[in-house]
Amino acid sequence: QVTLKESGPVVVKPTETLTLTCTVSGFSLSDARMGVSWIRQPPGKALEWLARIFSNDEKSYSTSLKRSLTISKDTSKSQVVLTLTNVDPVDTATYFCARIRRGTGMTSGYYYSYYYMDVWGKGTTVTVSS
Amino acid sequence: QSVLTQPPSASGTPGQRITISCSGSSSSIGTYTVNWYQQVPGTAPKLLIYNNDQRPSGVPDRFSGSKSGTSASLAISGLQSDDEGDYYCATWDDSLSGWVFGGGTKLTVL
């Protein structure tokens, strides 16, 4: 059974660094077909993608938050860590991690890759307040 | 404002069929496959559709997805009360070099 679990502080002060950990089970972070993403959702608002990392350590970040975000993984611990520096009250949100799966399809005679986030953690709520 | 545009709300009566649209651009839906998620308030999103029209194991065939050009749609037939929740479309966007989500559609079963 595949599970992901987010952990981190409940409250963070403005300008501090937020560090979140996603602990996975049921799959390996070294599996070339998979990766992990972080997504957040401010109260009452839509989902916002933050970052992703794959087994080969390939990383991508939200353009709007790229300067503040760092994603890393520890395969031996089955953990993916996200740090967000210089937090602000607008960073108050529920933070989710999700497994990314890669598939291969075919259309009009050629192959293509597609990606989707199939299993999500329950999320961890973070409040930025002094 | 989200890169993918969805109607903020949708509604239907039990047994009815409804569709939710998701409009993007050539750098997003026009190039990449679309996924759909259902989120009941207070819980994590659940994958409903991936690769435009594929259902994960366990998702009823009442849910179907389609894509044409720079738009995608989610259809729900035989509407049930527990279909209520928020629905999000998602895809990759080349111009942002990242995943993008729609603004979400709140479905109400009357």
Side-chain angles (χ1 to χ4, degrees), chain A residues 12 112 122 125:
Chain A
V12 183
Y112 66 94
K122 293 183 178 180
T125 300

Side-chain angles (χ1 to χ4, degrees), chain B residues 2 6 18 39 47 49 62 76 86 91-92 98 101 104-105:
Chain B
S2 303
Q6 298 180 235
I18 65 102
Q39 186 180 34
L47 178 67
I49 298 288
R62 301 188 297 108
I76 309 174
D86 298 314
T91 189
W92 185 263
F101 286 93
T105 298

Side-chain angles (χ1 to χ4, degrees), chain B residues 9-22:
Chain B
S9 64
S11 63
T13 56
Q16 198 173 15
R17 181 179 185 273
I18 65 102
T19 61
I20 297 172
S21 62
C22 175

Side-chain angles (χ1 to χ4, degrees), chain A residues 41 49 52 63 112 115 117 121, chain B residues 35 37 39 44 51 96 99:
Chain A
Q41 185 172 38
W49 176 77
R52 72 173 184 185
T63 302
Y112 66 94
Y115 299 84
M117 292 174 272
Chain B
N35 307 316
Y37 299 89
Q39 186 180 34
N51 190 22
L96 297 174
W99 281 92

Side-chain angles (χ1 to χ4, degrees), chain A residues 37 39 41 45-49 52 60-63 96 100 105 112-123, chain B residues 2 33 35 37 39 42-47 50-52 54 88 90 92 95-104:
Chain A
S37 257
I39 307 97
Q41 185 172 38
K45 295 190 177 182
L47 300 167
E48 178 186 17
W49 176 77
R52 72 173 184 185
S60 301
Y61 296 98
S62 163
T63 302
F96 299 97
I100 305 169
Y112 66 94
S113 293
Y114 59 86
Y115 299 84
Y116 55 104
M117 292 174 272
D118 67 335
V119 182
W120 295 56
K122 293 183 178 180
Chain B
S2 303
T33 61
N35 307 316
Y37 299 89
Q39 186 180 34
T43 70
K46 170 189 171 185
L47 178 67
Y50 67 96
N51 190 22
N52 302 327
Q54 302 297 299
Y88 294 92
W92 185 263
S95 63
L96 297 174
S97 296
W99 281 92
V100 289
F101 286 93

